[in-house]
């Protein structure tokens, strides 16, 4: 049974940590989860405020940092979470599937308890645990991942610049503004308008971008898209911006 | 709650499929599991007989084929199992962690049911499912794996030959005889006797093998060991046999 905390709706889709309070009072949950940031809009809710609430009501609190751990500074302890989750293949520059789990010492005996029958077996680790390429790449890239977190401000500023440039073209950035993460979600009514009057319908966007060497958008969709600016530099992102400009000009 | 079916004890450690019957009658289990072969002795119990029992009592039956699927011919359907498990990194020549699951169609809706809330989410597939190197290597090696199963008889005959040669040196093969799998387990009292009178104790074996370019035994252990003959050819296994002969001569 999962109770969802409502978000603020379009265009920002914010989650207010205080909105957990009425749900906690009503449902007395066994566990609190916050995805920080969310994978859809890249919003960074007030994780620390939720930590205070979790402690006040004495409910274990998981911070899902799949898009935070390895990208940006984040501290389970400062936030007041009991658990933190990181994703090797999402934000830690390693091959998947692999992830990391951090937890307060008080949960050690619960999460890592051994089988009564087989004293080497961690009960909660199903099947064969991580090994081979996922584990090796996680270890190999870790020093780089640790260092790159120091440059998070540059990542945020790059994302904000890119978003502002696309908004000049008539795209609408959803989620928080100013944005504080490289995950971005755009509504693109100007592209959608084109798709309604061209022969290829929504596929024109995929085709036009592919011709310019830009990959990623789902073929057929021109109404909105998500992207991350993390691994691209300003020159590459400038090329993406110019490409959108050229596509809009071509069909205007 | 797991009920274990007793094995026959040393030296064969056989599991008799009929021994499931009294446990089923007594405990009315929700699920029957057979590891085929077991990973300790390489015994191949009568999986088909257990299939008859499972059907008679209408209990779902999992065949854990971690050391069978990809190595030897095995058919869930012929055995009468409901589920079959294969291991990518144990017996299918791929990088781990990855595996395969087969099941009868009647279990499809139970095992692969989707979330009511998120219609794309398979509830039983936790977190991020397989991707990247594990998946790619599983796909890439599959044609080879499929073909090599045709040569299983040669694998068995090689294992039996190797086992017979080591027994000539005073090693005792545990598990079924004649053996029908490449996983072998030996008690090695002649090596253990040496370990009791040499300065390095049990480490002498690890050291002697390492000097000959043979890796694998746990340092310090000389009392017994497990091995697989699968990937080694007769010439390589002959070198292992000769090395054991030389080690025994050296310390005799």
């Amino acid at each position: 049974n999962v109770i969802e905390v409502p978000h603020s709706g379009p265009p920002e889709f914010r989650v207010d940590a205080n909105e957990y309070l009425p749900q906690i009072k009503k449902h007395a949950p066994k566990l609190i989860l916050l995805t920080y940031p969310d994978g859809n809009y890249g919003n960074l809710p007030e994780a620390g405020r939720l930590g205070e609430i979790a402690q006040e009501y004495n409910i274990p609190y998981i911070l899902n940092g799949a898009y935070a751990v390895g990208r940006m500074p984040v501290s389970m302890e400062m936030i007041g979470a009991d658990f933190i989750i990181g994703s090797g293949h999402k934000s830690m520059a390693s091959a998947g599937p692999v992830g990391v789990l951090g937890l307060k010492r008080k949960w050690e005996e619960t999460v890592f308890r051994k089988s009564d029958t087989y004293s080497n077996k961690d009960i909660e680790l199903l099947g064969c645990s991580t090994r081979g390429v996922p584990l090796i790449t996680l270890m190999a890239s870790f020093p780089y991942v640790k260092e790159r977190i120091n440059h998070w401000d540059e990542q945020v500023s790059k994302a904000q610049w890119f978003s502002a440039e696309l908004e000049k073209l008539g795209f609408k950035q959803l989620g928080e503004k100013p944005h504080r993460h490289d995950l971005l979600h755009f509504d693109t009514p100007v592209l959608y308008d084109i798709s309604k009057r061209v022969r290829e319908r929504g596929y024109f966007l995929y085709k036009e971008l592919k011709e310019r060497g830009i990959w990623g958008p789902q073929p057929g969709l021109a109404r909105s898209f998500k992207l991350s600016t993390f691994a691209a530099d300003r020159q590459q992102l400038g090329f993406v911006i110019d490409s959108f400009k050229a596509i809009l000009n071509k069909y205007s």
Side-chain angles (χ1 to χ4, degrees), chain A:
Chain A
N1 283 339
V2 176
I3 311 297
E4 287 193 38
V5 172
H7 54 66
S8 67
E12 290 209 311
F13 299 93
R14 279 183 197 268
V15 172
D16 181 344
N18 292 310
E19 290 288 327
Y20 277 72
L21 257 178
Q23 306 294 337
I24 289 169
K25 286 178 187 164
K26 188 170 172 194
H27 300 284
K30 294 267 191 287
L31 203 63
I32 293 171
L33 172 71
L34 180 69
T35 301
Y36 177 86
D38 69 277
N40 238 330
Y41 305 103
N43 287 344
L44 287 164
E46 284 186 90
R49 173 69 191 120
L50 186 54
E52 291 168 6
I53 295 170
Q55 277 159 40
E56 190 184 333
Y57 287 85
N58 201 23
I59 304 170
Y61 168 22
I62 300 183
L63 193 74
N64 172 14
Y67 298 99
V69 175
R71 264 171 142 114
M72 56 181 281
V74 53
S75 161
M76 183 186 92
E77 224 167 356
M78 279 179 59
I79 285 168
D82 294 79
F83 302 92
I84 189 164
I85 295 167
S87 167
H89 48 276
K90 288 200 175 79
S91 305
M92 296 180 77
S94 66
V98 69
V100 292
L101 173 69
L103 43 85
K104 284 191 179 158
R105 185 169 293 279
K106 67 172 173 176
W107 297 111
E108 189 181 350
E109 280 186 27
T110 309
V111 174
F112 299 124
R113 72 191 186 283
K114 305 283 189 181
S115 155
D116 290 338
T117 324
Y118 300 97
S119 58
N120 282 331
K121 177 63 190 163
D122 294 287
I123 285 178
E124 300 293 347
L125 304 185
L126 302 176
C128 286
S129 49
T130 194
R131 63 188 59 214
V133 170
L135 182 61
I136 291 165
T137 53
L138 187 72
M139 292 165 69
S141 62
F142 193 69
Y144 160 72
V145 167
K146 206 176 152 190
E147 204 282 322
R148 77 181 184 185
I149 289 168
N150 299 325
H151 308 287
W152 177 242
D153 287 351
E154 297 162 35
Q155 291 290 346
V156 172
S157 126
K158 191 174 63 178
Q160 290 181 352
W161 161 74
F162 181 76
S163 174
E165 290 298 312
L166 289 198
E167 292 223 309
K168 287 180 194 165
L169 305 182
F171 296 2
K172 310 282 177 201
Q173 186 224 298
L174 303 176
E176 291 176 341
K177 284 186 191 174
H179 212 62
R180 293 177 294 149
H181 197 274
D182 55 278
L183 291 181
L184 292 162
H185 197 141
F186 293 94
D187 264 356
T188 53
V190 286
L191 296 172
Y192 184 57
D193 287 347
I194 296 168
S195 77
K196 285 191 289 192
R197 56 183 169 78
V198 296
R199 191 180 49 81
E200 299 99 329
R201 315 291 296 171
Y203 290 88
F204 90 97
L205 179 63
Y206 175 78
K207 199 190 113 225
E208 291 286 352
L209 290 171
K210 184 178 161 186
E211 276 172 12
R212 288 166 174 84
I214 300 169
W215 292 81
Q218 205 172 332
L221 285 188
R223 201 164 193 163
S224 70
F225 56 80
K226 290 199 297 177
L227 61 79
S228 159
T229 53
F230 194 87
D233 61 30
R234 284 190 187 233
Q235 198 182 337
Q236 292 168 319
L237 293 173
F239 178 71
V240 173
I241 294 161
D242 290 344
S243 299
F244 277 121
K245 274 183 198 163
I247 293 168
L248 291 174
N249 279 335
K250 181 173 171 184
Y251 289 90
S252 69

